[in-house]
Amino acid sequence: MATQFGVRIRELRTKQNMLLRQLASKLDVDTSIISKVERGDRQLKKEQIPLIAEILSADKEELLMLWLADQLYNVIEGEPMADEALKSVTKKLKKEK
Amino acid sequence: MATQFGVRIRELRTKQNMLLRQLASKLDVDTSIISKVERGDRQLKKEQIPLIAEILSADKEELLMLWLADQLYNVIEGEPMADEALKSVTKKLKKEK
DNA sequence: CTTATATTTGCCAATATTTGTCAAGACAAT
DNA sequence: ATTGTCTTGACAAATATTGGCAAATATAAG
């Protein structure tokens, strides 16, 4: 499972001596959800990212990037053609801009 | 919307003078679904790919790769951090193998 | 060891998204 | 005008995601 985002959140949270419960409360979700997010069991909703970034005084863009990376990873996880697909999309993206 | 897969399907289908209706029937879905898939309005279910590959005498791996690329594209479409996220996942993938 | 607090886990209901069907419409060929 | 193909939108059914709860498991302190 994808955990880039979760690992970073945990890092930010613990460095500030913040408890799961406190972060959860500010995000207005149950503690268990944050626990799962940090361990990569769950993905946060995209709309929650700006808020969690603010709560943790983190860079919104950085967290969004990590979150996106997790979404991408979930798509290709365990796929034999993962590498080719990534290349294909990267190429397509370059053409667009 | 993502269309790499759809464009290829249409290419394969028309080259064989196959009608939407015929392909749909063999795939056991309504014609409209194939129409939407080919235009990128819909994604096929992953499980349907081996079957459609066989129907069209196409390379299963190739179609799966294109399908994956579409899924990836749907994730990052319109995202400012798309490029960074792609790089991040590509890097992670390399480490894994 | 016991208590107190923090975290993790599994399960459920509510919600949201995806999937497929149907019917109507657009378009071309005749 | 009729026929055949393809497209589109509305809808219901199936599936997946989300969040909350409560029990289980750690972790820490006395």
Side-chain angles (χ1 to χ4, degrees), chain A residues 11-42:
Chain A
E11 189 176 275
L12 289 164
R13 176 178 66 81
T14 53
K15 267 189 185 153
Q16 300 172 43
N17 293 317
M18 193 182 287
L19 298 175
L20 278 181
R21 150 168 71 76
Q22 299 172 312
L23 177 52
S25 159
K26 290 192 178 176
L27 249 188
D28 196 31
V29 294
D30 191 84
T31 302
S32 65
I33 298 213
I34 306 298
S35 171
K36 284 164 189 167
V37 166
E38 290 187 353
R39 334 191 85 253
D41 275 7
R42 283 260 182 126

Side-chain angles (χ1 to χ4, degrees), chain B residues 10-74:
Chain B
R10 173 150 294 187
E11 191 176 273
L12 289 164
R13 176 178 64 83
T14 54
K15 266 189 186 153
Q16 300 174 42
N17 292 318
M18 192 181 288
L19 298 175
L20 277 182
R21 151 168 72 75
Q22 299 172 310
L23 176 51
S25 159
K26 290 192 177 177
L27 250 188
D28 196 31
V29 295
D30 191 86
T31 303
S32 64
I33 298 217
I34 307 298
S35 170
K36 284 165 188 165
V37 165
E38 290 186 352
R39 332 190 93 253
D41 275 6
R42 286 253 183 135
Q43 306 296 127
L44 226 46
K45 279 198 292 187
K46 195 177 155 196
E47 305 85 66
Q48 293 168 318
I49 295 182
L51 181 52
I52 202 172
E54 200 189 325
I55 296 168
L56 293 171
S57 314
D59 179 22
K60 192 164 63 177
E61 304 300 305
E62 182 211 356
L63 293 187
L64 182 57
M65 189 278 279
L66 292 174
W67 182 87
L68 279 174
D70 280 358
Q71 313 306 307
L72 293 176
Y73 186 77
N74 286 338

Side-chain angles (χ1 to χ4, degrees), chain A residues 1-11 35-43 66-67 69-71 73-74 77, chain B residues 88 92 96:
Chain A
M1 242 285 184
T3 57
Q4 302 216 70
F5 180 82
V7 164
R8 183 73 178 114
I9 293 296
R10 172 151 293 187
E11 189 176 275
S35 171
K36 284 164 189 167
V37 166
E38 290 187 353
R39 334 191 85 253
D41 275 7
R42 283 260 182 126
Q43 304 298 125
L66 291 175
W67 183 88
D70 280 357
Q71 312 307 307
Y73 187 77
N74 286 338
E77 189 177 14
Chain B
S88 171
K92 174 169 183 174
E96 276 176 9

